[in-house]
Amino acid sequence: MPNDPSERTPAPGASQRPAEARRIVVPRRGPMLVDGPVEVELEDGTVASSDRFRVALCTCRLSERYPWCDTSHRRRR
């Protein structure tokens, strides 16, 4: 079958790791909760990684530990 996903080859530069679904919880307020381990590529190309079972990603950019949430958003209220 020509359109079988298992027959597709990754685009040049694409990750060679097998795709694993990650659960991401997006609450109305506060950080995004992502089941880990995770790697986060930042705008400048650096990569932040965590082996924790769940991480909180900052969405307000107030965190001193960005991209990880340090609850700085609570002080914004």
Side-chain angles (χ1 to χ4, degrees):
M1 183 175 348
N3 289 328
D4 183 358
S6 63
E7 300 289 323
R8 295 182 188 152
T9 57
S15 174
Q16 298 297 318
R17 289 180 281 180
E20 294 181 18
R22 296 279 183 226
R23 178 172 301 276
I24 300 174
V25 179
V26 184
R28 183 175 299 267
R29 294 190 182 116
M32 284 194 294
L33 302 176
V34 182
D35 289 349
V38 298
E39 288 183 348
V40 179
E41 184 174 342
L42 303 173
E43 290 176 284
D44 64 0
T46 60
V47 175
S49 61
S50 174
D51 291 332
R52 295 178 60 101
F53 69 95
R54 179 172 281 172
V55 296
L57 294 177
C58 177
T59 57
C60 67
R61 294 187 172 246
L62 295 175
S63 175
E64 292 179 17
R65 299 183 59 228
Y66 188 81
W68 318 119
C69 178
D70 66 0
T71 68
S72 293
H73 60 273
R74 292 180 186 168
R75 293 186 291 272
R76 186 170 64 172
R77 290 183 187 173

